Amino acid sequence: MKLDEVPQDNNRTLGGYRKAMYARDESGRMVMTPSNGWEVEEIVTTQAIDTLQAQADAARQRIQAGQSAPLEYWIYARRMDIEMLAQVTGLWRWRIRRHLRPAVFARLSPALLARYADALGLTPDQISRLPEQP
Amino acid sequence: MSYQHQHAAHCESGTAANLLRHHGATITEPMAFGIAAGLSFAYLPFVRINGLPLIAYRMLPKAILKGAAKPFGTQFRFEKFRSVEDGQRRLDELLASGQIVGLQTSVFWLPYFPESMRFHFNAHNLVVYGKEGDDYLIGDPVAEEPQRCATADLNRARFAKGALAPQGLLYYPITPAYDNVKPEAIRPAIRTTARNMLAPVPIIGVRGIRMLARRIAKLDPKDAMSSPFIGHVVRMQEEIGTGGAGFRFIYAAFLQEARDITGIAALGECSERLMEIGDAWRDVALAAARMVKGRDALDPPAIAALLMQQAASEEAFFRALGKTV
């Protein structure tokens, strides 16, 4: 990649940051240069975020249908999945899945609720309900 | 001496170079990356992140820090902590004594990071060069400007749990014995990288690229997870601070420096060749992104074929590179 080929596509996903890239200058020397993004990166980052968003939306529908607890929505809204939450909280995956049943979730001990809330960086109150529709 | 923050492509090689430079060593980011034999390829289907396999174009975390210090006749001192309180106390103590400290952190819990880049990746590296009130002064190598981070937030990022949990890891170099990389240190580093890339292990190096290609060839274009899988490969290659083309451009920059230090002209030619291979990696990324975006039909076998070509050019390249030193 030559210096003048370094993409400057103004990626939204970079939030104003510029990243360092290595490219060759006219004399053939590799030098570091800032880039405000490449559309390719924006496409795949947006896809990763959209995938999590879709999972959160699907969870929201299950919750509204009474099939799942609001905790499930927050797992994806905080960019995790059940496997990751299991690692962070030290709880078994099957136990987390069981806790996602609305009836079981309603009876969770304050200690467990706090454990989930802490892992997600939220309060017990927040993870017990859905946020307003955006 | 006050700390001079320098922007870098990659967090670990940037942190290693910036810390060593602060202690008087003459070192660039590409040199830190190359001398530590940081370049690699690994496809780890059994490690899953948000349901997707781990794909890395570099060596394991900490390998670059350790390898970059060695040619200067020194090493980093690493400290981990059981509790947040101990970790914060030790960091504050080191800062108060004038030490500049490197940290391993999560990316997700750093508030100054762009929202779209905050994923649960626990092996980010940054430099703390001071504290003002409740704020740590941070030289994050992937940010152009110095940043600030409140104590509670930094504690959270240092003690994030899950895969690759940092456990509060902090590190700082012992004063280097030499201030320059000697030619003798370059040859073994390059040989190690060539050997790693040609390793007879199915998930590592050139064979790892082929295994990933075969996995992609089998993706069903109608399956909803196929497109995110392909997008994920591109993210690991381009988006997460690799300096472009999955570190191939940084390594090409290192080979130029290596040529200048050792006087081996063939390394300059190798650098040119690796830049071309890097350009081809960028073409793979572009083709994949067009499919993700729906501009081209999702065609996993086509991506797989491109990856097979990359594997073939890298195999020939690393054989030739190994012979030059």
Side-chain angles (χ1 to χ4, degrees):
Chain A
M1 187 166 55
K2 296 201 187 91
L3 211 46
D4 57 7
E5 292 165 351
V6 173
Q8 304 290 350
D9 294 346
N10 255 318
N11 283 10
R12 281 179 295 119
T13 44
L14 283 177
Y17 270 64
R18 291 199 298 175
K19 52 205 280 180
M21 301 287 299
Y22 284 85
R24 57 187 306 182
D25 68 11
E26 278 154 22
S27 64
R29 182 111 216 133
M30 288 299 268
V31 293
M32 197 198 79
T33 185
S35 156
N36 62 24
W38 185 26
E39 196 199 0
V40 162
E41 295 155 1
E42 187 175 75
I43 289 170
V44 293
T45 298
T46 307
Q47 179 190 38
I49 292 168
D50 288 351
T51 305
L52 285 162
Q53 185 61 48
Q55 287 171 313
D57 290 344
R60 181 192 280 274
Q61 286 185 357
R62 278 193 294 277
I63 295 155
Q64 283 165 342
Q67 295 158 355
S68 187
L71 172 63
E72 194 193 1
Y73 169 88
W74 289 109
I75 294 173
Y76 300 112
R78 300 301 272 170
R79 298 188 179 164
M80 288 197 189
D81 56 18
I82 290 178
E83 199 169 332
M84 204 182 284
L85 186 63
Q87 282 180 341
V88 174
T89 54
L91 298 168
W92 295 98
R93 273 178 284 175
W94 64 263
R95 225 179 139 198
I96 297 179
R97 284 205 195 88
R98 185 171 164 273
H99 292 162
L100 292 180
R101 284 164 37 192
V104 179
F105 186 83
R107 282 183 279 120
L108 276 191
S109 70
L112 266 175
L113 211 53
R115 199 151 151 192
Y116 281 126
D118 183 52
L120 296 164
L122 298 165
T123 64
D125 186 45
Q126 276 173 309
I127 61 163
S128 304
R129 53 195 164 77
L130 280 172
E132 298 296 316
Q133 282 276 18
Chain B
M1 189 174 77
S2 73
Y3 176 69
Q4 301 293 318
H5 172 66
Q6 202 157 319
H7 194 196
H10 175 236
C11 66
E12 189 173 337
S13 43
T15 299
N18 286 354
L19 283 174
L20 289 166
R21 203 180 304 111
H22 181 74
H23 287 268
T26 304
I27 185 171
T28 60
E29 180 189 18
M31 179 53 73
F33 185 76
I35 201 74
L39 192 77
S40 185
F41 183 91
Y43 168 52
L44 308 178
F46 40 84
V47 184
R48 299 206 151 242
I49 310 156
N50 285 110
L52 294 163
L54 185 67
I55 298 163
Y57 290 75
R58 45 160 288 188
M59 296 297 286
L60 294 171
K62 285 211 294 206
I64 296 173
L65 286 164
K66 289 180 181 164
K70 214 170 133 198
F72 296 99
T74 185
Q75 56 190 19
F76 281 95
R77 196 161 271 161
F78 292 96
E79 295 177 21
K80 279 185 179 179
F81 304 91
R82 272 164 199 258
S83 78
V84 179
E85 293 72 28
D86 288 350
Q88 188 194 319
R89 195 180 311 120
R90 180 68 177 141
L91 174 60
D92 291 348
E93 192 179 285
L94 284 166
L95 290 172
S97 74
Q99 189 68 255
I100 307 292
V101 185
L103 296 180
Q104 183 186 334
T105 70
S106 145
V107 170
F108 184 83
W109 300 103
L110 292 175
Y112 63 82
F113 242 71
E115 176 63 26
S116 309
M117 308 292 275
R118 289 172 65 183
F119 288 91
H120 291 280
F121 173 64
N122 278 338
H124 184 57
N125 289 277
L126 52 81
V127 174
V128 185
Y129 64 92
K131 194 173 188 181
E132 268 178 26
D134 185 53
D135 278 356
Y136 286 104
L137 307 178
I138 291 179
D140 191 317
V142 302
E144 274 181 282
E145 303 299 329
Q147 306 289 330
R148 298 174 86 95
C149 185
T151 301
D153 292 328
L154 192 67
N155 282 343
R156 175 102 224 195
R158 291 179 66 195
F159 288 90
K161 296 195 184 100
L164 299 173
Q167 295 171 277
L169 182 75
L170 63 75
Y171 48 86
Y172 48 92
I174 300 164
T175 305
Y178 325 111
D179 55 6
N180 273 297
V181 176
K182 297 204 170 58
E184 317 72 280
I186 304 237
R187 287 166 181 268
I190 292 179
R191 268 200 297 270
T192 302
T193 297
R195 199 177 335 112
N196 287 344
M197 284 303 294
L198 301 169
V201 184
I203 54 173
I204 302 293
V206 168
R207 296 187 60 180
I209 302 175
R210 293 207 173 100
M211 189 167 177
L212 174 64
R214 283 193 297 273
R215 175 73 189 88
I216 289 179
K218 275 190 259 169
L219 290 174
D220 176 1
K222 290 185 211 77
D223 185 334
M225 275 318 277
S226 293
S227 173
F229 189 109
I230 288 174
H232 173 70
V233 177
V234 178
R235 267 183 68 223
M236 296 304 115
Q237 180 189 313
E238 299 296 336
E239 179 68 313
I240 51 147
T242 68
F247 298 105
R248 269 55 186 168
F249 291 147
I250 293 192
Y251 200 75
F254 159 71
L255 289 177
Q256 283 187 340
E257 284 191 47
R259 174 202 56 195
D260 297 346
I261 293 174
T262 59
I264 304 173
L267 289 177
E269 289 146 35
C270 286
S271 172
E272 301 273 327
R273 212 166 137 192
L274 187 59
M275 287 181 216
E276 282 164 29
I277 293 174
D279 286 340
W281 277 111
R282 301 278 283 183
D283 293 340
V284 180
L286 182 62
R290 290 185 59 86
M291 291 179 193
V292 166
K293 187 81 179 169
R295 289 183 193 145
D296 293 332
L298 193 66
D299 185 357
I303 298 295
L306 289 174
L307 286 173
M308 282 295 186
Q309 271 174 32
Q310 288 307 100
S313 8
E314 295 214 338
E315 181 165 18
F317 171 78
F318 286 104
R319 280 196 200 295
L321 181 67
K323 290 202 183 93
T324 57
V325 290

